[in-house]
Amino acid sequence: MVELGGGVGVPFLWLCILGNVALQNLGIKGVYYLLSEWSSLAVTMVTTLRKFISLLLSLFLFNNPFTRTHWLGTFLVFAGSALFSGIIPVGSKPKEEKTE
């Protein structure tokens, strides 16, 4: 129990849930703001990279194992980001007109 004052106590778990709801609300508002400013594909890439960073933090902070599946996911995230940003060109080049 966490005492809020005046003899009112709240279980700690309820405070954790309240904090989680507040942070999720903030995150959703951020995604909606990004959608109003950027294309949906750009927002998808931003949220995917955010999830990938969360995975890396989980690996380092809690000493979770980094398996072959994680390596495959890492490759796919970086390859997708590179394709999206134009670092890796996709498709054929525009045909040049011949001038004589």
Side-chain angles (χ1 to χ4, degrees):
M1 289 289 238
V2 177
E3 293 294 326
L4 297 179
V8 177
V10 177
F12 180 71
L13 184 59
W14 282 105
L15 291 178
C16 291
I17 291 172
L18 182 63
N20 188 354
V21 168
L23 290 174
Q24 284 185 3
N25 185 23
L26 185 65
I28 290 169
K29 284 184 178 185
V31 169
Y32 284 145
Y33 174 75
L34 287 175
L35 278 171
S36 70
E37 300 293 322
W38 293 356
S39 70
S40 60
L41 183 59
V43 173
T44 300
M45 289 306 300
V46 167
T47 56
T48 300
L49 287 172
R50 183 204 56 83
K51 290 176 185 180
F52 178 68
I53 291 170
S54 295
L55 172 69
L56 290 180
L57 285 173
S58 168
L59 293 170
F60 292 122
L61 293 177
F62 303 112
N63 294 321
N64 291 328
F66 200 74
T67 64
R68 280 186 245 163
T69 307
H70 290 105
W71 280 112
L72 175 63
T74 301
F75 169 75
L76 292 174
V77 166
F78 282 112
S81 299
L83 288 170
F84 172 71
S85 65
I87 295 172
I88 300 173
V90 179
S92 61
K93 293 181 181 179
K95 294 180 181 179
E96 294 181 23
E97 295 182 19
K98 292 183 182 180
T99 55
E100 294 180 14

